[in-house]
Amino acid sequence: MASTAPWWRYAVIYQVYVRSFADANGDGIGDLAGVRDRLPYLRDLGVDAVWLTPFYRSPMIDGGYDVADYRDVDPMFGTLADLDALVSDVHAMGLRIIIDLVPNHSSSAHPWFVEALTSPPGSPARDRYVFRPGRGTGGELPPNDWGSVFGGPAWTRAGDGEWYLHLFDPAQPDLNWANPQVYAEFESILRFWLDRGVDGFRVDVAHGLVKAEGLPDLGNVSRDLLRSVATPYFDQEGVHEIYRAWRKILDEYPGDRMAVAEAWVGSPVRVARYVRPDELHQAFNFEYLLAPLEAGAMRKIIDESLAAAAEVGAPTTWVLGNHDTVRPVTRYGDGPAGLARARAAALLTLALPGSMYVYQGEELGLPEVLDLPDEARQDPTWERSGRTVRGRDGARVPLPWSGDRPPYGFSPDATATWLPQPVDWAERTVAAQAGAPASTLELYRHALRLRREHPALREGSLRWLEPPSADVLVFARDPGLVCAVNLGAEPVTLPEYGDLLCASTEVTGRVLPPDTAAWWSR
Ligand code: GLC
Ligand code: CA
């Protein structure tokens, strides 16, 4: 059934964390040529699009979210020519590609910031960032009480005594979006990449660009920054004006270009404001990711998400993990039970209306790596927290492709990868799972194929059905599809829903075992 809806409304978008996807040149670090080599894998998996995490020139203090040149590829990842070749291969396969855009802050190695540091207080070069005099008699105290997401204060003192703002690492100074040069520069950067053919952008820290007038103290508001609601530095009204301007630019280009907001703003209603008709196209549904995998909590967040999105006419998105969060298998309990629950969650999520983001390795059922040696840790959170918060490296371990020991085909044999891989991943490699009917990889392949083929899994709306117990979710997507998920401890017997299409564990007859999701169709 041909549909005129833009591709992203129902797309399954696969997040490639470039550094950890595939290493073509043997330095132990993933690169663009590695992504290119493995595109057939993504096509055969059945996703619609790829999102690449930052590959720009960067000192890599925060995994490339510290950008020194927004218009060039870091030599670690390849060249602009590699990127162009990748974009054209992606398109030749009928897939789309979106790239990460990091507008809240640059790297401290960006020429603008280097210039700002060598320019006097009050100079135009400093005005592109957020410099302020300190408090205290000699200005020895930070200008306000804001903390960095990675720990410690959000301010660092420059050589001449002024302080600059960094909501993240000191190597990531916040840009001043009240400065017209910043505005113009990012419009030009958008055009640079749109002209090269990318299909869209994932907007990093989309909720952070505008800070409250006067930079008021935070006071007693929760410091859980990723979930904060009203703070003077997140989710300020002014950010929406920026996205309205960007939307106009995206709309000038042919072929349904889009942008997805990374906005940790605390409720589906606040999130929906980023996807009003004249703003961005999608926003990650982090409330869904954070919800406990219990029937009541999941049903509530699904309903709230659908309602908030419908209010503004946008599609919902669903996300179970990314490079910043603990992998679902581990979040849901680790071990075989965690894996079973992650598989059930995947099947539930793929049956929901809208678009889904899959983080690389979810399709392999990879767990978080909890026992990385401390000396291998790279996430700035580790040092900034005084080595108390281990950070996000455990979700960023290089993918296992084949073979029975590290580097599992990620790099040529015997290469040490940039983060070490566990020695017990032989059964989790792509090669080990491909063709094995009970594997997580085959579950994803099967479900993604059904999602493309079954008409209910596109436009069909969601209708809750009476569950056999409070621990079970059952819903229909019309025409003819039913998804049931048993999140309780006991098997349940279901009514007759038609033919079994797909299940996250063995399902016989009408009995749905615990930690299992299944789809039926008539
Ligand atoms: C986003 C990214 C994260 C990064 C941060 C600062 O949350 O996903 O990885 O550390 O922004 O750019
Ligand atoms: Ca490499």
Side-chain angles (χ1 to χ4, degrees), residues 258-275:
M258 57 83 76
V260 52
E262 187 218 20
W264 295 86
V265 293
S267 82
V269 172
R270 294 303 295 184
V271 173
R273 303 178 81 247
Y274 290 76
V275 293

Side-chain angles (χ1 to χ4, degrees), residues 15 17 51 53 65 202 321-325 359 392 395-396:
Q15 179 187 356
Y17 192 74
W51 149 31
T53 55
Y65 285 95
R202 176 263 188 191
N322 60 33
H323 64 293
D324 293 327
T325 52
Y359 175 47
R392 303 161 292 176
R396 301 175 177 180

